[in-house]
Amino acid sequence: MNKKYDFVIIGSGLGGLVSALILAKEGKSVCVLEKNRQYGGNLQTFVRDKTIFDTGVHYIGGLDKGQNLYKYFSYLGIMDKLRLKKLNEDGFDLITFDDDENVYPHAQGYDNFVKQLSEYFPDELENIKAYCKNINYTCDSFPFYNLRSGAGYQDQVLSINAKEYIDSVTENEKLKAVLAGSNVLYVGIPDKTPLYVHSLSVNSYIQSAWRCINGGSQITKQLIRQLKKYNGEVYNYQEVVNFETDENRINAVVTKNGKRIEGDTFISNIEPKTTLKMVGEKHFRKAYFNRIQNLEVLPSAFSLYLVLKPESFPYLNHNYYHFKDSSRVWLAHEYTPESWPEAYMISMNISEENQQWAESLTAITYMHFDEVKQWEHTHNTVSEIEERGEAYDRFKKEKTEIFLKEIEKKFPGIKDKIQSIHTSTPLSYRDYIGGYKGNLYGYVKDSNNPMKTFISPKTKLDNLYLTGQSINMHGILGVTIGAVVTCSEILGKEYLIEKINKELEEQA
């Protein structure tokens, strides 16, 4: 790190790594700085009781040949290196409710999606078809989503509200709940979440849905391998604590251990609120700085990671989205201490393709940062261990018991099949992933005022750009596209899209 780089990327989350690789493929000198031991942000995995768990990547969509993430990953040179297992085609996600014994499937392929759901709602066939048609139309309105250049129809779709749209599709209350049933994927807020957030979140999974064998960190490893192939450099344990600025430019960043890294251009994969504070309020228009700082963040999560006894629980090749009350699908994040948890998602990690028995299970539910606020001054990671104390351990134990009691209703007897239990709270997500207040999906997007929650990848500083889940969309596909959007601001939109498509044609 004793030279000046064309690009210095702060943070090795997916957005940072994809941005770095795109620029390195252009012949630029690139350096990626990561504060933690492990690279990858939400792609990180960890091992408990000799079992691999994913931090944030529980399944991926759009990876069948010719689909959008397949194309992006092929351009990045990692698609054929990934170990994947396709989820159940007749129900990759299953939506369930306490007050209903039915198990409602979200199936892969739009025709199959319609077929499987219409078996439960035979009178709603045309309405389900209309829903699917509009999801496709909405996704088609975003050029980068389909590797096209052009403006698309974004102005028309940004202000359509997701809940209002789904409510307009049908009068059947249960079908409304089922169509919105995977909204834990993006934390659906009834009066704010735009339809495009719902559409972009569910569409790629309906196209095709996959688990990563032995975890999503393989994506990180392959991206870094490709990055090094193009002479890119990555360094861990390098926490950036200061940006050196000169008028309207950044000259260098300084790390916690005193290293100074110079660059021509800087891309921050740190979340925007923190980035702007680190650079300094004086470098931005007051209205812009305040708008970003006042953006509402989505809730965080409390997660259980269960290591199961050998050959005690069959592997389930789908995910569960469960709600206590079908009328509160859009309101489950507004829980009370007495009603928590109102909803949860259950997913299984997989270590081999034809797996008969589950080795582990991950259960995720909403949790607000306020519940752990009394310990917010503590920071605990592998590289910097700091105990949070007995009260925190007691809090986690109490929440674990409550959550397990709900899971036991769905899977009777599962407690007797657990070998060990591990947890994550909003503090864990904050410390390891860097989300403001531990949020998993960035900032609230508001259909009532779309531009208020829009964050451009280009800042007012001449050589500072932003990337990550808050810039475009969260999720593997959303962040990958967001990195392409960031790099297109630097390289040119038309140029980059043409370059990607040309390379894909040559690969075919």
Side-chain angles (χ1 to χ4, degrees):
M1 290 189 287
N2 295 321
K3 64 182 181 183
K4 185 176 183 180
Y5 296 91
D6 294 328
F7 290 90
V8 176
I9 287 101
I10 304 100
S12 72
L14 180 62
L17 290 176
V18 172
S19 297
L21 180 49
I22 290 171
L23 294 165
K25 280 168 66 75
E26 293 294 312
K28 310 296 183 184
S29 61
V30 176
C31 171
V32 181
L33 305 173
E34 169 56 47
K35 72 172 184 176
N36 289 321
R37 176 181 64 85
Q38 190 177 163
Y39 301 106
N42 253 320
L43 293 169
Q44 293 177 70
T45 55
F46 59 94
V47 176
R48 295 290 183 272
D49 205 357
K50 299 179 182 178
T51 304
I52 295 174
F53 288 95
D54 275 298
T55 300
V57 181
H58 304 292
Y59 60 137
I60 309 175
L63 286 178
D64 257 343
K65 190 168 184 178
Q67 293 174 353
N68 47 15
L69 192 56
Y70 178 95
K71 290 180 179 179
Y72 278 114
F73 277 5
S74 295
Y75 166 71
L76 295 169
I78 69 170
M79 186 62 230
D80 60 350
K81 314 287 195 312
L82 301 179
R83 295 186 64 217
L84 305 163
K85 177 179 175 61
K86 200 168 195 179
L87 288 167
N88 190 310
E89 295 199 19
D90 290 337
F92 63 92
D93 284 344
L94 302 181
I95 316 300
T96 59
F97 310 97
D98 267 5
D99 55 0
D100 188 343
E101 62 182 17
N102 286 322
V103 177
Y104 299 98
H106 286 186
Q108 298 184 51
Y110 275 98
D111 289 343
N112 196 28
F113 184 92
V114 172
K115 178 177 179 289
Q116 298 298 330
L117 263 193
S118 62
E119 289 183 11
Y120 292 87
F121 302 98
D123 296 337
E124 299 288 332
L125 176 62
E126 294 306 316
N127 290 334
I128 298 170
K129 285 182 179 178
Y131 163 84
C132 291
K133 184 178 180 181
N134 203 34
I135 294 299
N136 275 294
Y137 171 79
T138 302
C139 293
D140 200 44
S141 300
F142 293 83
F144 277 91
Y145 193 79
N146 300 287
L147 270 170
R148 295 195 320 262
S149 57
Y153 303 96
Q154 295 186 39
D155 292 344
Q156 298 176 25
V157 300
L158 293 181
S159 60
I160 301 172
N161 178 270
K163 182 180 185 299
E164 288 178 5
Y165 170 71
I166 291 174
D167 285 350
S168 74
V169 169
T170 175
E171 295 181 0
N172 187 305
E173 295 299 325
K174 187 57 62 71
L175 178 57
K176 292 177 186 178
V178 170
L179 292 176
S182 61
N183 71 11
V184 176
L185 275 171
Y186 52 87
V187 191
I189 297 174
D191 59 338
K192 291 183 178 178
T193 300
L195 177 61
Y196 78 85
V197 170
H198 170 85
S199 301
L200 297 176
S201 296
V202 303
N203 174 69
S204 63
Y205 294 115
I206 295 175
Q207 288 181 336
S208 65
W210 309 77
R211 285 208 207 290
C212 289
I213 297 174
N214 282 326
S217 61
Q218 59 179 298
I219 298 172
T220 304
K221 291 170 187 170
Q222 294 302 333
L223 286 170
I224 290 175
R225 189 169 294 169
Q226 289 295 311
L227 180 57
K228 289 181 177 179
K229 176 181 167 183
Y230 292 97
N231 302 313
E233 300 173 26
V234 289
Y235 299 96
N236 58 357
Y237 296 116
Q238 299 297 329
E239 180 178 357
V240 171
V241 293
N242 187 35
F243 288 79
E244 286 188 6
T245 56
D246 178 18
E247 294 184 354
N248 210 41
R249 292 183 63 80
I250 295 171
N251 294 325
V253 292
V254 180
T255 65
K256 195 173 186 179
N257 53 15
K259 286 190 170 64
R260 181 177 180 274
I261 302 96
E262 294 185 13
D264 289 327
T265 304
F266 296 81
I267 299 175
S268 178
N269 193 196
I270 305 171
E271 69 92 28
K273 287 178 189 276
T274 305
T275 298
L276 298 192
K277 285 180 180 176
M278 289 174 68
V279 174
E281 182 176 354
K282 65 182 180 181
H283 295 290
F284 304 98
R285 291 198 316 269
K286 187 174 182 178
Y288 171 78
F289 183 88
N290 290 338
R291 177 172 71 86
I292 301 300
Q293 297 303 325
N294 291 326
L295 285 175
E296 180 184 357
V297 294
L298 290 160
S300 187
F302 180 82
S303 299
L304 293 181
Y305 306 99
L306 309 180
V307 178
L308 301 170
K309 294 175 182 176
E311 298 187 6
S312 66
F313 195 91
Y315 167 72
L316 304 174
N317 198 31
H318 47 249
N319 308 302
Y320 277 94
Y321 287 87
H322 182 76
F323 297 83
K324 284 183 179 177
D325 186 342
S326 60
S327 70
R328 287 186 58 79
V329 166
W330 290 98
L331 298 170
H333 61 285
E334 295 182 356
Y335 60 84
T336 65
E338 295 74 27
S339 70
W340 185 90
E342 292 194 17
Y344 58 80
M345 180 258 200
I346 283 182
S347 180
M348 292 188 172
N349 299 288
I350 188 167
S351 61
E352 57 188 63
E353 189 165 358
N354 298 310
Q355 194 163 324
Q356 182 180 354
W357 298 99
E359 296 172 355
S360 63
L361 180 151
T362 300
I364 305 170
T365 189
Y366 294 123
M367 180 172 280
H368 294 288
F369 190 80
D370 285 349
E371 293 208 51
V372 295
K373 188 174 176 59
Q374 62 181 295
W375 302 287
E376 69 176 335
H377 62 283
T378 64
H379 288 77
N380 185 27
T381 64
V382 171
S383 56
E384 292 189 44
I385 296 173
E386 180 181 357
E387 296 297 329
R388 304 197 205 271
E390 289 184 13
Y392 180 71
D393 292 337
R394 194 162 53 248
F395 167 82
K396 290 197 296 180
K397 187 175 180 180
E398 290 170 358
K399 292 296 183 180
T400 297
E401 288 301 316
I402 295 169
F403 198 178
L404 273 179
K405 189 176 179 181
E406 290 301 319
I407 295 170
E408 181 84 15
K409 292 178 186 176
K410 172 60 61 180
F411 302 109
I414 194 171
K415 282 186 181 180
D416 297 331
K417 299 171 182 178
I418 297 172
Q419 183 168 298
S420 61
I421 302 171
H422 313 274
T423 61
S424 287
T425 72
L427 292 173
S428 315
Y429 289 113
R430 180 200 67 183
D431 292 354
Y432 278 97
I433 299 172
Y436 183 77
K437 292 189 174 181
N439 81 83
L440 296 182
Y441 305 131
Y443 305 138
V444 174
K445 292 181 170 62
D446 192 347
S447 58
N448 303 297
N449 191 352
M451 298 316 295
K452 181 182 177 183
T453 51
F454 170 77
I455 302 176
S456 170
K458 183 168 175 52
T459 72
K460 291 301 179 184
L461 273 73
D462 292 341
N463 63 341
L464 174 64
Y465 294 81
L466 307 173
T467 195
Q469 65 177 5
S470 299
I471 304 310
N472 180 64
M473 275 280 293
H474 65 271
I476 300 296
L477 177 60
V479 173
T480 299
I481 294 173
V484 175
V485 171
T486 297
C487 291
S488 76
E489 290 285 345
I490 298 164
L491 301 170
K493 292 184 177 66
E494 298 283 344
Y495 168 80
L496 186 54
I497 290 295
E498 286 180 15
K499 175 88 181 285
I500 293 172
N501 283 318
K502 184 178 180 182
E503 194 164 317
L504 290 173
E505 287 174 12
E506 291 171 355
Q507 290 178 12

